[in-house]
Amino acid sequence: MKENGTKKMSFLSKLCFGIGAFGKDAVYAIVGTYLMMYLTDYRSVAPAFVGTLFMVARIWDAFNDPFMGMIVDNTRTKWGKFRPWILIGTVMNAIVLVLLFLNNGLEGQKYLVWCSVFYILWGMTYTVMDIPYWSMVPALTDDPNERNQISAIPRIFASCAWLVINSFGLALVGFLGRGNDVRGFSILASIISIVFILASVVTCLTCKEQVTMAAKEKTSVKGMANVLFKNDQVKVILGIALFFNIAYQLSNSFALYYFKYVAERTYAAAGNGILYPIYAGVAGFAQMGSMAIFPMLTKKIGKKASVFLASFLPVLGFALLWVSGYFIPTNAVMVGVCSAIVNCGIGFMLVLITVILAEVVDYGEYKLGTRNESILFSMQTFVVKFAGAFSGFISGIGLTAIGYVANQQQTPGAENGMRIIMFLIPAVLSALCFVFYTAGYKITPDFYEKIRETIRARKEKE
């Protein structure tokens, strides 16, 4: 079906595109949520070492991302330039994930070398798949309403993956390990790897790019730099993505520690520990719900108001959770309400960043005459990786600085330090997203319509 010159995707194809996000985010969830605690609490690795490893690995990986984007943009096959790399990256990353959580019996320095090597490889192979996956979004359609749906659907599937892994991950580890949690993590990682491969196959068999340019010269390193530095809107979206991802990843990875050692410590002593699954479960449903209504919401209130909600709902939720943590720390209803508020904002922002990046791709073609989806979307993964490095470093070094001791009741000073890392820093960074957007983003609806018309007119002349 075509409308205004654009071939639209069927709803089934949109769902199949989203299935790919379920698989890849299930992989990211087990690493992003559990790897730090797996290393510190189950494999007895020093928190400072883990934090430093996370920082070094992610920074190294982040600087590879633009080059992977250039490789994808220069790919020419009968299957397009995205799908071959999605499949290649998926298989490599699935194998590395199994090895990262492998119950290999190593200890001491040998295990430190093992986890360091495979954590670095995990990030690099994830890049091979993740960049072409998200780069497909602006290549699937140039219709704004269609893009809102296409951007929202995979984010819903991704949130579903996080919901499943975060809510049931530890229970699955216990069930699969039958008393040996290290073995349980190893089996769970293997199961997730199989799901990951199957999900990517579904996406690659059912989705293909529609918005393309005629074949031109391949992009060089100089051309890549030109794309990044001459598109003035790149720095705006990267600033928003950086602030958001540091806030999101920091609060997400630290939630396990906060609920286990601060809010949930009385439950943990009794062997219950019910608050984190509640927080994570509500988070998943809140994100999926906010993503589902995003296309209608942004159409009704506009993008700027949507960015405001995405930025300040987490601020409100973190503030309420911090205050309630002093008076009713084990109140499950309050934990759920606060999680819903925080994660509605997170859900909106996850979709907004994808939508805005797709607009920036079109803006770059309008301004520079080249269409470089993968190079520009690689900068999103660059920011995600850099944010992961920074948040991992803060978590690891922060735990050491506040006097954290694994599997022990924490001192009052350590508990307050956990509150600052879990609530205050993410709230400030979330507010900065709106400041950055209002200060620099200039692609208004009217201007974007002009961009689309100009690009279409150029293509008609080719």
Side-chain angles (χ1 to χ4, degrees):
M1 176 181 178
K2 288 189 176 183
E3 183 176 310
N4 297 327
T6 300
K7 186 175 180 180
K8 291 194 173 186
M9 292 180 69
S10 67
F11 186 69
L12 179 61
S13 293
K14 293 174 187 175
L15 288 179
C16 289
F17 183 65
I19 288 172
F22 180 89
K24 77 183 195 64
D25 272 70
V27 167
Y28 206 97
I30 188 174
V31 173
T33 300
Y34 296 116
L35 184 60
M36 174 169 277
M37 183 167 281
Y38 171 78
L39 293 174
T40 60
D41 288 25
Y42 295 89
R43 301 303 296 255
S44 302
V45 179
F49 177 87
V50 178
T52 303
L53 170 62
F54 282 14
M55 180 183 69
V56 171
R58 291 283 70 77
I59 290 177
W60 160 252
D61 192 29
F63 281 101
N64 293 323
D65 288 357
F67 292 97
M68 186 64 214
M70 183 177 69
I71 291 171
V72 175
D73 272 339
N74 287 334
T75 299
R76 306 285 188 271
T77 76
K78 64 180 181 180
W79 300 284
K81 60 184 181 180
F82 306 113
R83 290 182 291 171
W85 289 112
I86 292 174
L87 282 177
I88 292 169
T90 294
V91 173
M92 291 193 301
N93 190 253
I95 293 171
V96 173
L97 179 71
V98 172
L99 294 173
L100 180 61
F101 283 96
L102 186 66
N103 184 17
N104 52 25
L106 295 177
E107 296 181 359
Q109 293 294 325
K110 291 182 179 180
Y111 181 70
L112 296 183
V113 172
W114 178 278
C115 71
S116 298
V117 168
F118 285 105
Y119 182 65
I120 291 170
L121 286 176
W122 177 83
M124 294 176 68
T125 54
Y126 193 85
T127 293
V128 175
M129 170 276 311
D130 191 50
I131 287 174
Y133 178 85
W134 289 114
S135 300
M136 282 189 74
V137 172
L140 294 173
T141 181
D142 68 349
D143 181 84
N145 293 325
E146 283 278 288
R147 274 199 187 154
N148 286 343
Q149 293 181 19
I150 294 171
S151 299
I153 288 172
R155 292 296 185 185
I156 293 172
F157 275 93
S159 291
C160 184
W162 283 86
L163 169 65
V164 172
I165 302 302
N166 285 1
S167 298
F168 305 109
L170 292 179
L172 287 171
V173 165
F175 174 77
L176 296 170
R178 299 186 182 280
N180 185 338
D181 286 345
V182 173
R183 180 174 179 269
F185 271 109
S186 182
I187 297 173
L188 180 60
S190 299
I191 294 171
I192 290 173
S193 293
I194 294 171
V195 172
F196 182 25
I197 293 172
L198 293 175
S200 290
V201 168
V202 169
T203 294
C204 290
L205 289 177
T206 56
C207 301
K208 61 183 295 186
E209 57 212 67
Q210 307 289 346
V211 182
T212 60
M213 290 188 68
K216 296 185 178 181
E217 290 186 6
K218 292 188 175 183
T219 304
S220 63
V221 174
K222 182 179 179 181
M224 178 180 69
N226 185 60
V227 169
L228 295 176
F229 291 111
K230 290 193 175 181
N231 186 332
D232 56 288
Q233 293 302 285
V234 169
K235 65 178 182 293
V236 179
I237 182 58
L238 293 186
I240 296 170
L242 179 63
F243 294 140
F244 166 73
N245 277 286
I246 293 176
Y248 178 36
Q249 294 190 51
L250 185 60
S251 64
N252 185 66
S253 64
F254 217 79
L256 273 171
Y257 290 94
Y258 171 76
F259 285 108
K260 179 178 180 179
Y261 292 108
V262 184
E264 206 170 42
R265 63 184 183 274
T266 55
Y267 283 159
N272 296 318
I274 63 170
L275 293 183
Y276 177 75
I278 291 173
Y279 180 84
V282 171
F285 284 112
Q287 287 185 24
M288 289 188 287
S290 61
M291 291 171 185
I293 67 171
F294 173 83
M296 296 179 289
L297 178 74
T298 192
K299 191 173 183 179
K300 186 171 183 177
I301 68 175
K303 191 177 298 173
K304 186 174 182 179
S306 299
V307 175
F308 178 84
L309 286 176
S311 301
F312 285 99
L313 281 174
V315 175
L316 175 61
F318 284 135
L320 290 174
L321 195 54
W322 189 342
V323 173
S324 65
Y326 283 108
F327 302 102
I328 46 174
T330 57
N331 187 298
V333 173
M334 192 63 187
V335 168
V337 169
C338 293
S339 177
I341 295 172
V342 169
N343 285 282
C344 278
I346 288 173
F348 290 143
M349 188 61 79
L350 284 168
V351 181
L352 278 164
I353 288 174
T354 305
V355 170
I356 292 172
L357 255 174
E359 291 180 350
V360 172
V361 168
D362 290 337
Y363 174 75
E365 183 178 355
Y366 164 82
K367 185 175 182 179
L368 305 175
T370 60
R371 188 171 187 84
N372 303 99
E373 299 101 332
S374 293
I375 289 177
L376 291 175
F377 270 82
S378 74
M379 296 309 296
Q380 179 189 19
T381 61
F382 171 92
V383 167
V384 171
K385 304 285 180 57
F386 186 83
F390 191 67
S391 62
F393 182 74
I394 291 176
S395 296
I397 299 300
L399 285 171
T400 301
I402 65 178
Y404 162 79
V405 180
N407 299 312
Q408 300 292 326
Q409 184 168 334
Q410 307 303 308
T411 65
E415 290 183 1
N416 287 330
M418 288 185 177
R419 290 186 177 98
I420 291 172
I421 296 172
M422 173 72 184
F423 303 133
L424 181 59
I425 297 175
V428 171
L429 291 171
S430 186
L432 286 174
C433 292
F434 185 71
V435 174
F436 223 75
Y437 177 85
T438 54
Y441 196 67
K442 68 181 185 182
I443 305 177
T444 62
D446 290 341
F447 183 31
Y448 184 63
E449 187 58 36
K450 178 183 176 182
I451 290 172
R452 293 176 65 206
E453 291 173 357
T454 301
I455 292 174
R456 285 176 177 171
R458 288 177 186 168
K459 289 180 179 178
E460 289 174 358
K461 294 179 181 179
E462 293 177 352

